[in-house]
Amino acid sequence: MILETLELVNYRSYAYCRVVFDRKMNVFLGKNGSGKTNLAEAIHYVSLGRSFRTSDDRALIKKGEQEAFIKAVVVHEGVNKTIEVGFTPQGKKVRVNFKPIQKLSELTNVLNVLVFEPRDVLMFDDAPRVRRQFLDITLSKHDSSYLASITRYETILKERNALLKSVSVDRQHLELLTTQLIEASFPIIKARAAYLQEINRVLGKVVGLIKGETFRVKLHYVPYVDLQGDYPRHAKLLFDKSIDQDIKRKTTHIGIHREDFVVVYEDQAIASFGSQGENRIVALALKMSPYFLIEDPEKKPILVLDDVLSELDEKTQQRLLVFLEKLQQVFITTTHYPDTHHTIYLIDNHVITRRPHHGK
């Protein structure tokens, strides 16, 4: 899949712009605050139906305006497809090929975007929910049945938590919901364990290509229950032990919604022992890894890398750029760019000027 054009109307800092992109490398070059990340955000938005910067869609409408609009034209499996997102203070409307979609998850089938943003450097030292969110989003794109499983689990969890908040908890009803929660969580745990193993196949190679030397790096899944043996029985025992605490706290405090994974780099937890540069490179490699798990070239994701070169030394920057040149379509935002043979979009005060590549 290739993003051919992007059109914005009253989106963030842009009153209007229309940009035609190249295959391979596209570089948004400009000072901080010039509007680079707004473009990156819009590209990501049309793939997932939400921003990686805010949960409030109203913040995407240009100040002083009532409505905003994104239009993207994508080449997918040889066919042009159009994605449109309209924003009003009342909400958003999303269309693909001029027809309203039923679920936002349909967007990923048209345009799959992997994004790296500066705060991802803190991923390994951040709250577990940040790592779970990464895992759930990438897995949902990888396997549509996973999204259905997560949705079912969250529905049951919401009902269980509502029951726990009631004045008098019906223990028989609680027992039923607990059984349903355990059943719903089993396919999620299996999918998470398998997917992390898949990422482990490629993660070390990606880190090595960026670093220029081989490093041992591995993700370790931290499930809420021992996966060996009889999972339903082990899970039931845990929930039975925690039931009084759940009632006291009025919430479900164990389960797949509290799980985590740890990144071990050169035999040590990177969150505790890795340098900022190592955290940055491994976080970048992790965010890019799903690209290499998709074999069909027509389904390869687009990479959007926001401020990716910051704090990398010159040699690492060059290795990264050589690596990225081999991928299908990449978007980079940066304040300084060391190369001239890629298509560069100069962004100054939210005005975009396209500078074609000069060739090698």
Side-chain angles (χ1 to χ4, degrees), residues 271-291:
S272 301
F273 298 98
S275 67
Q276 187 171 349
E278 288 167 340
N279 271 267
R280 187 177 192 85
I281 288 171
V282 175
L284 173 60
L286 178 58
K287 296 300 288 284
M288 292 195 299
S289 288
Y291 180 96

Side-chain angles (χ1 to χ4, degrees), residues 6 45 81 102 121 150 175 210 215 242 249 269 337 346:
L6 182 72
Y45 199 103
K81 297 188 178 182
Q102 301 301 312
V121 177
I150 278 285
E175 184 82 10
I210 299 171
F215 283 86
S242 68
R249 292 185 178 184
Y337 198 65
L346 299 173

Side-chain angles (χ1 to χ4, degrees), residues 135 139 143 146 186-197:
L135 190 55
L139 242 174
D143 180 2
Y146 182 83
F186 191 39
I188 296 168
I189 281 183
K190 287 196 298 183
R192 284 179 175 177
Y195 190 64
L196 288 178
Q197 287 302 313

Side-chain angles (χ1 to χ4, degrees), residues 305-348:
L305 310 175
D306 187 23
D307 195 24
V308 70
L309 302 178
S310 175
E311 298 180 31
L312 296 179
D313 62 69
E314 188 176 339
K315 287 185 176 180
T316 303
Q317 288 183 10
Q318 289 295 341
R319 279 193 300 269
L320 175 60
L321 293 175
V322 169
F323 173 62
L324 294 175
E325 283 179 344
K326 299 173 184 176
L327 308 186
Q328 194 156 273
Q329 191 178 35
V330 180
F331 295 87
I332 290 176
T333 78
T334 183
T335 55
H336 298 89
Y337 198 65
D339 230 317
T340 58
H341 64 273
H342 300 137
T343 299
I344 293 176
Y345 302 83
L346 299 173
I347 303 178
D348 184 16

Side-chain angles (χ1 to χ4, degrees), residues 90-103:
Q90 289 73 44
K92 66 181 170 225
K93 293 183 179 179
V94 183
R95 301 194 305 171
V96 173
N97 288 343
F98 314 106
K99 295 180 181 179
I101 63 172
Q102 301 301 312
K103 296 179 292 185

